[in-house]
Amino acid sequence: MTTLAILAYNEEKSIKKVIDTFIDSFDKLIVIDDASRDNTSKILETYSDKKLTILSNSKNLGAGKSLEICINHFLETEDNYLVKIDGDGQFKNNDILKIKKFIETSNFDFIKCDRFWEKGIEGDIPTIRYFGNAFASFLAKFSTGNWRVNDPLNGLFGFSKTSLKNFKLPKLFYRYGYPFFLVTHMLNQSSRKEIKVGQLKNTIIYQEKKKSINPFTMFFKLFWYSLKNYYSKINWKLKYSKLQGSALLDIVSQLFIFISFFALFRFFSIRYFSYVGPQGIWFLVFIIFFSFSAISLYLALNIENELAQKNFEELN
């Protein structure tokens, strides 16, 4: 049995069509209204179908927090699977039903989507989003060790109930960027547990411009979380025999990067602040140890990548 979760904020133009399209395709629907300011709430009040549960936030909490509320409600039901979409109708109906089919019949625990392929985008999106998603994809590869993961800001997902047990969303992602956390969290889980992950090529329809997210805010949010995740990941990798080699290489990489930065500091001190010493040698030390650090990090990620591929599958 599968539940469809629909996040809605000011979706008066599309929410009725989205609900009517999927009401017969899923066992349950959960719609969460994140304190919409338009007529979304009034439209939702017209429904009385027992399959439909409407959750209303008393104030605007953000898409990430709204999803967490949906997940907590879903965990109290008897359904085994959850598909999450947005109420704006950007996702193709066929893609949503594909996720439902895959997660019900192919033993997937988590399915994410990738819009960056030949037929993945209909309409126009700002160029800054291409750069933003490219940067986010790089950080996702770094954070998970999985070099095939793409488009971690895509908001179309499928979950098994098993994968969502003890789920907790960091406050950092209550409003924006929560798909990035979901992707990195689930892929890291797949390296520790038998969680099967799929990546489906989907199509997103861009019809009208919505308020854009501040790219600088998103940049620092994702960068900070990725850095924090990297260091916390070293700790838990030491607890798993298959990843201990990767953890040790991470530690060596950090040792080398510390030495390289110290050498760079000495180089600038001599060159620009009248300290005495062989600046050429210090710069050479910086180059050598920085290179060693990069090589160690690459090897650590390569070990993670080999393990990550065992529970990761690309879908069409």
Side-chain angles (χ1 to χ4, degrees):
M1 298 176 68
T2 304
T3 294
L4 179 68
I6 306 172
L7 305 189
Y9 176 65
N10 293 344
E11 305 294 358
E12 62 180 6
K13 296 180 180 180
S14 57
I15 191 63
K16 187 177 189 307
K17 181 180 179 180
V18 171
I19 293 174
D20 292 346
T21 298
F22 296 107
I23 192 73
D24 295 324
S25 300
F26 287 83
D27 299 290
K28 294 184 182 70
L29 271 71
I30 302 172
V31 181
I32 184 159
D33 177 19
D34 193 18
S36 295
R37 297 179 179 179
D38 62 1
N39 291 317
T40 299
S41 302
K42 292 181 179 180
I43 294 172
L44 293 176
E45 289 173 357
T46 63
Y47 285 91
S48 59
D49 196 303
K50 294 182 179 179
K51 294 174 63 175
L52 178 63
T53 298
I54 299 172
L55 306 175
S56 299
N57 295 337
S58 58
K59 63 179 181 179
N60 184 260
L61 300 177
K65 184 61 178 177
S66 294
L67 175 60
E68 185 179 51
I69 293 171
C70 281
I71 288 174
N72 290 336
H73 184 86
F74 162 72
L75 291 175
E76 295 176 355
T77 70
E78 296 180 355
D79 285 9
N80 298 314
Y81 305 103
L82 177 71
V83 176
K84 176 267 164 185
I85 66 173
D86 297 322
D88 56 10
Q90 281 191 319
F91 301 126
K92 289 273 192 174
N93 299 347
N94 188 48
D95 292 331
I96 296 168
L97 296 177
K98 269 186 181 180
I99 287 184
K100 179 178 182 290
K101 180 180 178 181
F102 274 123
I103 208 159
E104 288 178 342
T105 62
S106 301
N107 297 318
F108 282 99
D109 292 291
F110 177 63
I111 296 178
K112 64 168 295 297
C113 291
D114 177 14
R115 84 195 92 169
F116 293 103
W117 58 290
E118 183 181 359
K119 298 179 181 179
I121 295 175
E122 292 185 5
D124 297 318
I125 64 174
T127 303
I128 188 66
R129 289 202 176 185
Y130 286 107
F131 288 103
N133 273 280
F135 175 71
S137 292
F138 169 78
L139 288 179
K141 296 176 195 295
F142 172 76
S143 296
T144 64
N146 188 322
W147 297 348
R148 288 196 292 164
V149 62
N150 295 307
D151 196 11
L153 298 179
N154 196 316
L156 179 57
F157 297 107
F159 308 89
S160 71
K161 180 167 283 184
T162 302
S163 71
L164 291 173
K165 288 183 178 179
N166 302 315
F167 177 79
K168 181 69 175 177
L169 184 73
K171 190 174 182 179
L172 181 68
F173 295 109
Y174 277 6
R175 294 201 170 274
Y176 307 115
Y178 72 91
F180 183 87
F181 171 78
L182 285 172
V183 171
T184 55
H185 172 74
M186 291 296 180
L187 286 174
N188 284 332
Q189 288 289 323
S190 72
S191 296
R192 290 181 276 181
K193 305 174 184 178
E194 291 300 318
I195 292 179
K196 186 178 179 182
V197 177
Q199 180 170 263
L200 174 71
K201 290 181 178 178
N202 77 315
T203 301
I204 295 183
I205 306 168
Y206 291 90
Q207 296 177 336
E208 60 181 42
K209 293 184 179 180
K210 291 190 172 185
K211 184 179 179 180
S212 60
I213 301 170
N214 187 313
F216 296 103
T217 300
M218 184 65 74
F219 169 85
F220 286 111
K221 181 179 291 190
L222 299 188
F223 181 79
W224 168 250
Y225 172 75
S226 298
L227 192 62
K228 182 180 178 181
N229 176 73
Y230 171 73
Y231 287 108
S232 64
K233 190 169 62 170
I234 293 175
N235 182 53
W236 66 253
K237 283 197 295 185
L238 287 169
K239 301 175 183 177
Y240 297 87
S241 58
K242 293 180 180 180
L243 290 168
Q244 286 175 344
S246 176
L248 291 175
L249 284 167
D250 280 324
I251 294 171
V252 170
S253 174
Q254 293 308 295
L255 176 62
F256 285 157
I257 198 70
F258 174 79
I259 295 173
S260 69
F261 283 162
F262 176 77
L264 187 64
F265 169 76
R266 294 293 296 172
F267 167 76
F268 280 115
S269 297
I270 295 167
R271 186 173 182 85
Y272 297 108
F273 298 100
S274 301
Y275 283 77
V276 178
Q279 60 174 311
I281 292 178
W282 281 114
F283 188 74
L284 181 61
V285 171
F286 163 72
I287 294 296
I288 292 173
F289 279 92
F290 187 83
S291 299
F292 284 165
S293 176
I295 292 170
S296 300
L297 178 60
Y298 170 80
L299 294 173
L301 290 174
N302 193 50
I303 293 173
E304 283 189 70
N305 181 60
E306 290 179 2
L307 185 61
Q309 301 310 312
K310 294 181 180 180
N311 295 320
F312 185 86
E313 184 178 339
E314 296 199 47
L315 309 171
N316 293 309

